[in-house]
Amino acid sequence: MSADNCVGNVSVPLRNLLNSIQCIRDRVRDGEANESDGAFNISNFWDTLNQAVKAVSQEATKLSLAFSKPPLPSQQDGEKLADSILKSVLTLSTVYYWLPKSQGVSLRRQVRDATVEVLEGVAQLVEVILSSPLQSLSQEQLTSTGGVWSACDQFAQLPQDNKAAVLVVLSAQIGVVKDAIEEIEQALAEADDPYSDVLDDDQGGDEPRGNQDTYWSEKDRSVIGPCQGLMKASAACLRKLTSAVKANGDVSTSQNLAQLDDLADITKEISPCVDDLALCLYPPMDYSGVESNASKLATLLKKVLSIIRSSHVCGESQLTWVQFLDGAVDHNLQKAKDLIHNS
């Protein structure tokens, strides 16, 4: 039998496998959870899920090794490999579906995303093998195999309950907001011209640029102050909320689980709002845009603080900072508006 016929025969089970994995991946990405009847054993779920992930990693390794050097597997061996990896993938997706929404939406989203990443990794590995089945082990195949291992390894770092999942969301928001604050502070500290590092290379001769659109005026700089105040209030809110969730977050009742999910969902809106405000602070400054984005951020922060106040994570000691930040948001927004309109 010619090599081409061999390739043709062994590629059939691989193509079928690829189609099946892609269908399973799409169902996991878009599907709904099973609602659990009665008690759900989350410890048993994690044990079984981790075993399923380990099995996928091992099967992907076997598949990669089988196609790492000639001779190619026979069609029969190819079918066995494909069946074995498909079984492991189906088991993983089935175990994922055990996790009901009643354990928390934030937790389920993160487990879903991790599961989808593994399925995408396996699909990519099969695609790479299909595209070069007779070659020796290619760099692309090595990279794809490593991608599956890496996606599987992430399960060890997944949050184990909804409280931990919400803390992951908050941590990501804090990082983005912190970056936005630091970028503005750096631009203000460096020079009058925040674009100097970008544009200086194009500048001919020693003459300074005459385009004032790249500079902040005194009024611009005064308006930036309270806008920075709003951005810092955002960061403080996220930091304080993180501490409150760590101290008081509870996953023992459906009401408290839902409150944690509400907090995660509303706080996800903070970093895009902070970014929008930060971007419109660069010259040439459009004051109406600054006022609009500052108002949007202030409205959002007041909504977040209101949800925190009415949630179980807000005890007596949290009320003080909630009220303080609520006042700080009002103060900074009013100050920004006054500076925009009165000077």
Side-chain angles (χ1 to χ4, degrees):
M1 187 182 287
S2 74
D4 285 346
N5 282 338
C6 270
V7 174
N9 290 339
V10 83
S11 71
V12 172
L14 288 182
R15 288 197 185 284
N16 292 337
L17 173 64
L18 179 59
N19 289 335
S20 298
I21 295 169
Q22 288 170 335
C23 288
I24 293 165
R25 175 202 63 199
D26 293 345
R27 279 205 301 274
V28 168
R29 187 186 278 141
D30 305 324
E32 285 298 314
N34 299 329
E35 278 313 312
S36 62
D37 299 323
F40 175 77
N41 187 330
I42 197 158
S43 171
N44 181 52
F45 165 76
W46 282 113
D47 287 345
T48 314
L49 184 69
N50 287 326
Q51 285 168 17
V53 170
K54 189 176 176 185
V56 172
S57 181
Q58 288 169 344
E59 291 300 330
T61 305
K62 275 188 214 168
L63 183 73
S64 188
L65 284 171
F67 287 90
S68 64
K69 59 183 186 292
L72 282 174
S74 64
Q75 183 174 359
Q76 187 180 13
D77 287 342
E79 284 170 357
K80 279 183 186 172
L81 280 163
D83 286 345
S84 192
I85 202 163
L86 181 58
K87 185 181 172 188
S88 73
V89 161
L90 278 167
T91 301
L92 173 60
S93 63
T94 302
V95 177
Y96 155 72
Y97 276 119
W98 290 358
L99 184 62
K101 278 186 185 170
S102 57
Q103 288 296 310
V105 176
S106 301
L107 175 65
R108 194 164 182 278
R109 277 181 191 145
Q110 288 173 45
V111 178
R112 178 199 64 198
D113 291 348
T115 304
V116 167
E117 199 169 327
V118 169
L119 298 175
E120 283 182 340
V122 177
Q124 186 186 25
L125 174 61
V126 176
E127 279 185 291
V128 168
I129 290 170
L130 274 166
S131 67
S132 53
L134 268 182
Q135 292 175 6
S136 59
L137 186 62
S138 66
Q139 184 57 48
E140 197 178 0
Q141 189 176 327
L142 276 170
T143 303
S144 295
T145 309
V148 176
W149 295 340
S150 176
C152 290
D153 287 346
Q154 280 185 22
F155 277 75
Q157 274 77 51
L158 281 177
Q160 301 291 294
D161 61 24
N162 209 47
K163 174 179 171 178
V166 170
L167 289 170
V168 170
V169 172
L170 291 171
S171 176
Q173 288 295 306
I174 288 170
V176 178
V177 170
K178 189 174 169 226
D179 286 347
I181 291 169
E182 285 175 357
E183 280 172 26
I184 285 290
E185 285 176 348
Q186 190 178 354
L188 283 165
E190 275 176 358
D192 292 333
D193 181 357
Y195 298 116
S196 57
D197 58 333
V198 181
L199 299 177
D200 274 352
D201 291 344
D202 302 328
Q203 190 66 31
D206 297 324
E207 291 299 313
R209 284 197 306 280
N211 184 2
Q212 292 299 311
D213 282 350
T214 62
Y215 296 81
W216 277 307
S217 66
E218 280 305 308
K219 179 178 177 180
D220 290 347
R221 284 175 172 270
S222 69
V223 168
I224 288 172
C227 292
Q228 284 179 293
L230 283 172
M231 292 161 73
K232 286 174 180 174
S234 306
C237 177
L238 289 165
R239 283 197 309 273
K240 292 287 191 181
L241 176 56
T242 298
S243 298
V245 170
K246 280 178 182 172
N248 303 330
D250 174 70
V251 293
S252 63
T253 70
S254 56
Q255 182 183 10
N256 287 353
L257 278 161
Q259 286 179 356
L260 288 171
D261 283 328
D262 288 343
L263 287 167
D265 286 343
I266 189 76
T267 51
K268 277 183 194 167
E269 298 175 33
I270 292 178
S271 65
C273 246
V274 168
D275 277 344
D276 287 345
L277 177 58
L279 284 170
C280 72
L281 295 178
Y282 284 89
M285 195 183 278
D286 168 21
Y287 291 133
S288 65
V290 172
E291 184 175 359
S292 169
N293 282 302
S295 298
K296 279 180 194 167
L297 179 55
T299 302
L300 174 62
L301 287 175
K302 288 182 76 68
K303 186 178 175 184
V304 171
L305 291 165
S306 170
I307 291 172
I308 293 170
R309 185 185 275 121
S310 60
S311 78
H312 72 278
V313 305
C314 185
E316 285 294 321
S317 58
Q318 282 75 34
L319 267 176
T320 309
W321 63 258
V322 168
Q323 289 164 350
F324 173 80
L325 286 175
D326 197 71
V329 169
D330 286 335
H331 170 76
N332 280 295
L333 178 62
Q334 192 55 53
K335 192 173 176 188
K337 286 182 174 180
D338 288 347
L339 288 164
I340 286 169
H341 294 291
N342 295 344
S343 51

